[in-house]
Amino acid sequence: MKIDRRIKYRIVLDTETTPCSGSPTVDPTNMFVYDIGWVVTDKHGHVYETRSYVNKDIYVGEKNLMESAYYANKLPQYEQDIQNGSRILTSLYAIREQLKRDIEQYNITEIYAHNARFDLLSLNNTQRWLTKSKYRYFFPYGVTICDTLKMARAVLSKMPTYRNFCQQNGYITKNKRLRYTAEIIYQYILKDTNFTEKHTGLEDVMIEKEIMAYLFRQHKKMSKELFARA
């Protein structure tokens, strides 16, 4: 497709993971990524490219770990999706190469994820384990990682309607703080508490790019970068 250089393109990305052997906690540095999805979008949520990959190095190469995946019940769905071509089964190297091509083609400078720290660290952990630390970082150098969770906390925490929504639906932590999961935020945007996430990479990305667009539409001051600049 023809690229409009007037548009600032962004990538919104999501991963699904399985614990490393002997790792009972949800520590991203002890997680392997088996599902990666992303879209090329803009601040309004328009979609220009969609990508959906199953990481063969983990999904097949470490199949014994897949039974410990948090959404292992979805494995039959993955098999169907791989067969019908809606998800591509390939190596982490090939997935990263496609990400690099999209970044170069669309002149991407920002990658967004909800709770981006988890995706960043789990991708790095997978990359390091598979390459025996020869290659330590999944995202190309120079790309800024942005966190829609951080953005949401800055914007939604100041909105009485969001506070009321959380209080009315019990979306409060044990420390009496508002919750900001992608599912809850999207329920708020839709005004539909029956909505549930799919917990598959690309499908969740389609929610998260809408969250990003919603937050930008509020025109509020917010910090978006995962790592604040000095």
Side-chain angles (χ1 to χ4, degrees):
M1 65 174 289
K2 187 175 181 180
I3 296 174
D4 187 342
R5 295 300 176 186
R6 296 169 297 178
I7 297 173
K8 181 177 179 179
Y9 297 98
R10 297 163 165 86
I11 282 176
V12 180
L13 176 145
D14 186 66
T15 63
E16 298 298 332
T17 62
T18 189
C20 304
S21 179
S23 173
T25 63
V26 192
D27 178 353
T29 62
N30 284 312
M31 304 298 284
F32 288 152
V33 172
Y34 65 86
D35 177 1
I36 309 174
W38 71 82
V39 294
V40 176
T41 184
D42 57 27
K43 70 182 296 184
H44 306 291
H46 302 135
V47 174
Y48 303 93
E49 300 280 2
T50 62
R51 310 290 185 198
S52 184
Y53 295 103
V54 177
N55 178 11
K56 185 177 182 179
D57 298 322
I58 301 302
Y59 186 82
V60 176
E62 300 297 329
K63 199 168 185 65
N64 61 309
L65 297 179
M66 291 305 301
E67 296 302 321
S68 300
Y70 290 101
Y71 301 102
N73 62 310
K74 296 183 181 291
L75 294 181
Q77 176 188 332
Y78 279 95
E79 291 297 319
Q80 292 178 8
D81 292 346
I82 292 167
Q83 289 297 320
N84 66 32
S86 59
R87 298 185 203 279
I88 298 174
L89 180 67
T90 190
S91 67
L92 189 69
Y93 173 82
I95 296 168
R96 187 173 186 270
E97 288 298 298
Q98 182 60 61
L99 181 68
K100 287 166 60 179
R101 285 193 292 271
D102 285 344
I103 288 170
E104 292 166 5
Q105 182 178 3
Y106 287 92
N107 194 28
I108 302 253
T109 59
E110 296 175 346
I111 294 178
Y112 290 73
H114 199 75
N115 190 11
R117 179 180 177 274
F118 183 91
D119 297 280
L120 173 70
L121 294 180
S122 58
L123 282 165
N124 284 348
N125 183 59
T126 308
Q127 171 97 339
R128 292 171 188 184
W129 188 82
L130 290 173
T131 66
K132 296 181 172 57
S133 285
K134 182 177 181 180
Y135 302 105
R136 298 183 56 79
Y137 303 102
F138 181 81
F139 293 117
Y141 178 78
V143 177
T144 300
I145 307 303
C146 300
D147 190 357
T148 54
L149 174 58
K150 191 173 183 179
M151 295 163 62
R153 284 173 172 157
V155 174
L156 297 177
S157 65
K158 298 178 176 63
M159 295 174 64
T161 53
Y162 186 75
R163 177 171 294 277
N164 291 340
F165 174 80
C166 289
Q167 290 174 341
Q168 289 169 7
N169 292 286
Y171 296 150
I172 307 291
T173 71
K174 62 182 180 180
N175 296 323
K176 307 299 182 183
R177 296 178 180 175
L178 305 182
R179 295 178 61 200
Y180 297 96
T181 68
E183 181 174 277
I184 290 172
I185 295 171
Y186 200 56
Q187 285 182 2
Y188 169 75
I189 294 171
L190 290 179
K191 297 180 173 57
D192 180 6
T193 55
N194 293 317
F195 170 80
T196 56
E197 277 187 289
K198 298 294 186 183
H199 295 295
T200 51
L202 181 59
E203 288 75 9
D204 287 357
V205 162
M206 301 307 284
I207 298 164
E208 291 166 17
K209 61 96 175 173
E210 289 297 324
I211 291 172
M212 179 194 71
Y214 175 84
L215 295 170
F216 277 126
R217 285 198 301 272
Q218 306 315 302
H219 301 290
K220 302 294 185 181
K221 184 178 180 181
M222 60 183 171
S223 177
K224 62 184 181 181
E225 297 180 15
L226 178 61
F227 303 110
R229 297 179 185 274

